Amino acid sequence: MSRVLAAAAGLLLTPSLASAQATAAQGAADPRITALVASVSPERLQATATKLASFGTRSTLSDTISTARGIGAARRWIFDEFKRASPKLQVAFDRHMLLRQGRITRDVELVNVVAVLPGRSDRRIYISGHYDSVNPRGNAPNTPGAGAGARAGGAGGDAQMRAEMDHNADAPGANDDGSGTALTMELARAFANSGLEFDATLVFVTWAGEEQGLIGAMVHAQNLAAAKSTVTANFNNDIVGSSLGGNGIIDAESVRIYSLGPEDSMNRSLARYIARVAGVYVPSHTIRLMAREDRFGRGSDHSSFTAFDFPAVVFREANENYQRQHNTEDKPEGMDFRYLAQNTRVNAAAAASLALAPPAPTVTTGGGTPTISRGTTGYDAALQWEASPGAAGYRVYWRNTWSNDWERAQYVGNVTRFQLPNVSIDDWVFGVAAVNADGHESLVSAYVSPNRRMQEVPVKK
């Protein structure tokens, strides 16, 4: 049923809708998610990261035959661990034959490891980290000051572009990105054994080829786009396991989340969502939202998703140690597994909340025009959206146009139209989220003002 509601009008709610309104408005915790978050184990995370480092190297071009060393042994072990975690997980190798290109200096089979936890719908939420590692300097001694930001090629340029680079040299990669891989594997176990039935399908992936240009994630994402798959979010984790920075500063109480703009993109909506949910389930951990795609000169696999307009963010530890990246010094001894567990819990809480919630409402026409107007008076905010499957109601958000986060919200019941009298759509930004009967809320879909297309004016010369 669709009705136009004035902001001051009273709402007649069924008990389930009233419950949803109260739960979402108060930020009450769902005890099932609380239990899932509590199941995260620092000890298991440590054991996983230590095992990953024990393969010596996980370089994309390293040995694939050995049972104890190289990327082949590592990916088979990850596959077996996913299978061992739960029979509910559908585990597979995501294989791609790559021709020589860029940092891939010879033809090679690239293999991502995927574990799928089916939900009630086909829309997907990804939790990921890359399991490959790299040491561009090969067997050469590490040079002070030449950390991850260096190409380690000296005057010869990028060492990874050289065919003679030794890809079997030690590259333990405990934190980069054994931390994100361990987090992904731990959450596959936790979600599959939670007893929860999710609306969204959860996909846990450990990527290969990240260090050569995000290749494993990119080929996977382009296949998703070609198949017209629905992806609600990618929670990507890359270097999230150490609380001690290279500058000597310790920060075990916060994590950075980078998200690509513009301000009202679904990437930013996802970042804000994570911060709100973390405040309920992991309140001791500060979420530092970063209004850029990633750190200067660095990147990670979330960019493969945003390249196809799939919402994605990347988690980064609060204060990095560049001397323990892309060399032989990236060992488990340099990690803080209690801190990694906190970052894992933030992922767990936000991904579970989002997977239990309905999909975000559509707030545009088929042609992409936002379904917002000034109402019949010309001075109201008249909002319209498409109904979301599984929604029991909706929450409308608005904020000052110069603000970067929502300032006001109102639960409006199970309607697909809402009107705020005497509120100018020129002065405020609006959005709407779907809420189910348990109070779980979707991402906020914002009404984005389209840019005016200008054309050059022909003049007589």
Side-chain angles (χ1 to χ4, degrees), residues 170-340:
D170 284 351
N175 196 21
D176 183 14
D177 185 32
S179 60
T181 300
L183 180 155
T184 299
M185 295 171 68
E186 174 68 0
L187 290 188
R189 180 204 61 78
F191 275 70
N193 292 291
S194 67
L196 286 166
E197 183 181 1
F198 297 98
D199 182 74
T201 291
L202 276 298
V203 186
F204 306 89
V205 186
T206 62
W207 308 113
E210 193 273 351
E211 300 291 6
Q212 288 72 46
L214 321 181
I215 296 175
M218 189 64 179
V219 70
H220 186 92
Q222 66 192 34
N223 287 344
L224 288 173
K228 301 187 184 307
S229 300
T230 300
V231 178
T232 294
N234 170 218
F235 293 73
N236 190 48
N237 292 268
D238 194 353
I239 312 178
V240 289
S242 178
S243 59
L244 174 61
N247 54 9
I249 296 175
I250 297 174
D251 185 345
E253 285 78 41
S254 75
V255 65
R256 296 175 293 173
I257 298 178
Y258 288 86
S259 59
L260 179 66
E263 208 160 61
D264 288 305
S265 68
M266 293 305 282
N267 309 307
R268 294 281 169 84
S269 183
L270 176 59
R272 296 183 189 108
Y273 186 95
I274 294 167
R276 289 202 305 273
V277 173
V280 175
Y281 293 97
V282 198
S284 62
H285 213 52
T286 300
I287 309 302
R288 295 165 53 198
L289 299 184
M290 300 291 165
R292 53 171 53 125
E293 184 173 15
D294 209 333
R295 305 152 302 161
F296 273 102
R298 305 291 296 277
S300 192
D301 295 303
H302 65 298
S303 295
S304 299
F305 280 74
T306 59
F308 295 97
D309 294 326
F310 297 134
V313 299
V314 64
F315 287 73
R316 299 286 193 183
E317 64 193 23
N319 188 27
E320 294 178 63
N321 185 342
Y322 303 120
Q323 305 310 310
R324 290 183 178 269
Q325 295 176 10
H326 297 179
N327 56 36
T328 59
E329 298 307 307
D330 187 2
K331 300 175 181 177
E333 293 84 346
M335 298 174 66
D336 178 347
F337 293 99
R338 288 185 176 84
Y339 175 67
L340 176 56

Side-chain angles (χ1 to χ4, degrees), residues 92-152:
F93 288 129
D94 178 32
R95 299 178 181 272
H96 306 277
M97 288 303 304
L98 300 182
L99 300 176
R100 187 176 70 176
Q101 55 189 285
R103 290 176 171 178
I104 303 294
T105 54
R106 57 177 170 80
D107 294 358
V108 69
E109 183 182 44
L110 181 144
V111 183
N112 303 314
V113 191
V114 182
V116 177
L117 181 64
R120 290 189 297 268
S121 71
D122 291 333
R123 68 185 180 96
R124 293 181 158 211
I125 293 175
Y126 278 77
I127 298 174
S128 64
H130 71 88
Y131 76 99
D132 65 309
S133 64
V134 73
N135 178 2
R137 277 171 290 284
N139 292 316
N142 292 316
T143 304
R151 290 186 179 271

